[in-house]
Amino acid sequence: MQPGLWASDGIFSEWRHSCRRRGSRMGKGGDIVVGNGKKYAAPLLVLGCVVFGLGSLIVRSVPVGSYAIAFWRLLISVFVFWFLARFFGQKFPKNRKTVRYALTAGVFLAFDLALWHESIHAVGPGISTLLNSLQIFFLSAIGVFFFGERLSGLKKAGLISAVAGVAMIAGAEFGYNGNAVWGFASGLVSGLMLALSMVFVRKTHEIEPVALFPSMMILSLGGAVSLVVPALLMDGGVLYPTTWKDAGLVLVYGVVMQCFAWAMVAYAIPLLSLSLTGLLLLSEPVAALFIDYFGLGKPIEGVQWAGVALTLSAIYLGSLKQQS
């Protein structure tokens, strides 16, 4: 999943403006503390994205079901974000509608994660993460059909490029991978789920401004609760880790990938230009592709690499337009 693209919506939008007005990072009470951290912003953003990509290795290696490991990731993050909210003195929202929207955003995020995990198992971390990153075009479609927005020429060109790139990737994959259909379908639908989650994150902030950690705690709680029944039904035999090693990896997945990497991304985004942010956020699918190819030995043909380049270019253009 590519949560960095949330930078243009919801949680980070207000935070970006506050950081640029007053400094670079949060202190006690949720205030912004002036600091000279801008020179570290780009490396931290890339590191955060790479850490997200490394999470796919845990998904592949731990024998826990796709829905179940998404549940554990979100449940663990509930406690981490609760602690961070208390530590920084950030207040929780009191408006019930705000809480309801945040919980709904969490439900969509939960199924984004679960379907992304399904795609990882079917077609590998690289292609699945690339497909998930196409959520920016689902956001555009939601804007056109439900909010009366117009699709610009650049956005249309990006969409056509993305479709062509995915077709180039899929052609070879379908030729030798019997799970390719499900892998591409689940990867694309995970992008739709992420886009819908973003919509409700934005609606949350339209009701009242909410601090970062309380928002993420409520969102994670909604997601974890929504996955209880699907995990029991879909992953009954692989519901939880059975060794201390696997339990430790699941804990790392929840703490490091869902919380620590989020913190690096949240720290870095307000300090960088939008164009540089859009470019650096592509490091997550790139990292996942390299992990897939060099680390897991997945065969990726030349035409697929060309499709990857075309799709990444389309995602970059789409993210720039979205953020402008």
Side-chain angles (χ1 to χ4, degrees):
M1 182 191 69
Q2 191 172 353
L5 289 176
W6 289 39
S8 59
D9 289 86
I11 289 177
F12 294 133
S13 57
E14 294 87 359
W15 199 56
R16 174 192 294 276
H17 299 307
S18 297
C19 285
R20 283 183 168 163
R21 283 198 310 268
R22 301 177 56 191
S24 63
R25 59 188 175 88
M26 284 188 304
K28 283 275 192 177
D31 292 331
I32 306 300
V33 178
V34 176
N36 186 26
K38 190 170 183 178
K39 64 180 179 179
Y40 302 111
L44 283 175
L45 180 56
V46 173
L47 179 59
C49 290
V50 171
V51 170
F52 277 125
L54 290 173
S56 59
L57 291 177
I58 295 178
V59 174
R60 281 287 296 266
S61 62
V62 175
V64 176
S66 299
Y67 292 84
I69 197 169
F71 165 79
W72 291 116
R73 168 173 167 163
L74 291 169
L75 183 65
I76 290 167
S77 70
V78 168
F79 295 100
V80 176
F81 284 125
W82 175 84
F83 170 79
L84 291 173
R86 294 297 299 269
F87 181 80
F88 286 106
Q90 295 183 347
K91 296 181 179 180
F92 286 81
K94 299 183 182 298
N95 189 301
R96 290 185 178 181
K97 197 171 186 180
T98 302
V99 174
R100 187 162 61 248
Y101 280 148
L103 291 171
T104 304
V107 172
F108 284 116
L109 177 62
F111 285 92
D112 158 52
L113 284 172
L115 290 170
W116 178 56
H117 296 161
E118 287 284 299
S119 186
I120 287 172
H121 289 299
V123 294
I127 293 176
S128 63
T129 304
L130 191 68
L131 293 171
N132 182 265
S133 300
L134 295 174
Q135 49 81 19
I136 58 173
F137 297 108
F138 286 114
L139 274 177
S140 298
I142 291 170
V144 169
F145 289 109
F146 295 99
F147 297 100
E149 298 178 1
R150 298 184 62 182
L151 205 60
S152 68
L154 183 59
K155 184 74 75 175
K156 291 176 182 177
L159 180 58
I160 293 171
S161 298
V163 171
V166 170
M168 293 169 69
I169 298 168
E173 191 75 17
F174 282 17
Y176 68 86
N177 186 349
N179 297 318
V181 173
W182 173 238
F184 274 75
S186 57
L188 288 170
V189 176
S190 76
L192 174 60
M193 294 295 103
L194 180 55
L196 290 170
S197 180
M198 290 183 192
V199 170
F200 279 94
V201 168
R202 169 162 284 183
K203 290 178 74 68
T204 298
H205 286 264
E206 288 175 355
I207 303 300
E208 64 175 300
V210 186
L212 177 65
F213 297 133
S215 293
M216 291 307 301
M217 198 221 82
I218 297 170
L219 184 149
S220 299
L221 179 62
V225 171
S226 71
L227 285 174
V228 171
V229 173
L232 289 171
L233 293 176
M234 304 294 291
D235 301 327
V238 282
L239 195 58
Y240 50 84
T242 56
T243 68
W244 285 110
K245 177 185 176 182
D246 290 341
L249 288 173
V250 171
L251 183 63
V252 168
Y253 191 50
V255 174
V256 177
M257 279 66 186
Q258 183 70 13
C259 303
F260 177 66
W262 262 104
M264 288 190 287
V265 171
Y267 176 91
I269 282 176
L271 304 178
L272 300 171
S273 68
L274 292 173
S275 58
L276 181 58
T277 298
L279 183 62
L280 294 180
L281 288 173
L282 294 178
S283 57
E284 185 190 356
V286 170
L289 283 161
F290 275 83
I291 290 169
D292 223 356
Y293 184 72
F294 293 105
L296 301 177
K298 178 180 175 62
I300 301 179
E301 299 181 4
V303 66
Q304 289 181 295
W305 283 116
V308 166
L310 187 59
T311 306
L312 287 173
S313 299
I315 293 170
Y316 174 58
L317 292 176
S319 66
L320 284 181
K321 190 62 180 178
Q322 180 184 325
Q323 294 169 357
S324 61

